[in-house]
Amino acid sequence: MNIVALPAFDDNYIWLLQHGGQTVCVDPGDAAPVRAYLAQHGLQLNAVWLTHHHGDHTGGVAELKQQFPDCTVYGHAGLDADIRVGEGSHWQWQGAEVTVWHVPGHTARHVVYILKQGQQTHVFCGDTLFSAGCGRVFDGTAADLYRSLMRLNTLPENTLFYPAHEYTASNLRFAQAVEPDNADVAAAVEAAAHTPTLPVTLAHERRINPFLRVHLPAVQAAARQQDAAAADGAAVFAALRQWKNIF
Ligand SMILES: [Zn+2]
């Protein structure tokens, strides 16, 4: 299986999966980079997987559908999709197993696509988990986003995450403000000079992502500088998310 990052706009990635003559792209906010890649490699587009309704994830769908009328668009309720997906949707793709989770928070209906091939799990996670960060809360809630990230954190530690944005360097500046003494964050800052920084493993994110580290005393102490009443994991998470909004 070949998985490539197609840069779009300023900092988006459109992930393109290619295996055994089948091609899928995730969140094509712009058709142009997808069309260019497909033309260059003589490929057809067979499917589009959408994580949520924001225009920088869906804006290229109509044009791709026009060029590839047989292409099947997967998306949650409320999206212009051929196949509606939601929590627990499940199918086979080229010998791999695809499962959909509903992970609200960034938006109320956000879904992720979990592709399991042998011992390797790949998660196309849209704007939920970013490297060293997480999505902003738009029409979901911080409590939803907290639960969603904790759920993603239950996957095997070698799971590869494919977020839709290259936000790593700026997220790491925030992670350093939260945990100035975290040597793994410092190492990641140096590594982030080279892009793409994605995909990332869950094991790596557990070491550097403050939003997955809300159970740790150092992270809780930093959050309480912002909100003295942040008592438990969910409140610490919400305080960090609020702090990051103005960071
Ligand atoms: Zn979004």
Side-chain angles (χ1 to χ4, degrees):
M1 187 183 334
N2 190 25
I3 303 178
V4 295
L6 305 179
F9 308 116
D10 290 338
D11 50 34
N12 283 66
Y13 290 127
I14 299 166
W15 293 101
L16 191 134
L17 294 71
Q18 210 267 314
H19 191 52
Q22 291 283 310
T23 307
V24 176
C25 76
V26 183
D27 286 353
D30 185 2
V34 180
R35 294 179 63 172
Y37 184 90
L38 295 173
Q40 192 187 346
H41 294 85
L43 299 169
Q44 303 286 310
L45 186 64
N46 304 103
V48 170
W49 299 348
L50 300 174
T51 63
H52 67 294
H53 69 85
H54 287 157
D56 63 322
H57 297 250
T58 59
V61 173
E63 193 181 326
L64 289 170
K65 200 62 185 164
Q66 205 165 29
Q67 187 180 354
F68 303 101
D70 295 336
C71 158
T72 306
V73 179
Y74 293 70
H76 62 59
L79 289 172
D80 189 8
D82 302 308
I83 294 187
R84 181 178 291 187
V85 299
E87 174 63 33
S89 297
H90 189 87
W91 64 95
Q92 299 285 323
W93 183 73
Q94 298 298 91
E97 224 176 290
V98 184
T99 305
V100 173
W101 282 3
H102 174 223
V103 282
H106 174 68
T107 63
R109 287 174 166 173
H110 199 298
V111 297
V112 296
Y113 296 83
I114 301 174
L115 187 140
K116 194 158 183 279
Q117 191 191 37
Q119 294 303 305
Q120 185 62 60
T121 302
H122 307 265
V123 182
F124 299 91
C125 54
D127 290 355
T128 53
L129 180 92
F130 295 126
S131 184
C134 68
R136 271 175 196 266
V137 174
F138 283 91
D139 48 287
T141 68
D144 286 341
L145 190 58
Y146 171 68
R147 279 191 294 272
S148 293
L149 260 70
M150 292 306 106
R151 187 177 180 198
L152 293 172
N153 198 18
T154 63
L155 288 162
E157 68 170 11
N158 70 335
T159 298
L160 286 164
F161 281 88
Y162 299 77
H165 289 275
E166 179 64 67
Y167 289 157
T168 310
S170 72
N171 285 340
L172 284 166
R173 283 194 287 279
F174 178 71
Q176 275 192 311
V178 177
E179 291 187 278
D181 300 328
N182 184 329
D184 292 315
V185 170
V189 169
E190 285 186 33
H194 306 281
T195 59
T197 60
L198 308 170
V200 283
T201 64
L202 182 56
H204 175 72
E205 290 307 303
R206 284 175 179 163
R207 290 193 297 270
I208 66 155
N209 192 322
F211 294 95
L212 295 183
R213 295 169 63 78
V214 295
H215 56 288
L216 297 173
V219 174
Q220 297 194 346
R224 285 184 194 126
Q225 297 289 317
Q226 305 297 317
D227 178 0
D232 59 1
V236 169
F237 181 93
L240 287 181
R241 187 54 266 181
Q242 191 61 38
W243 179 12
K244 177 67 167 61
N245 290 345
I246 54 163
F247 183 77

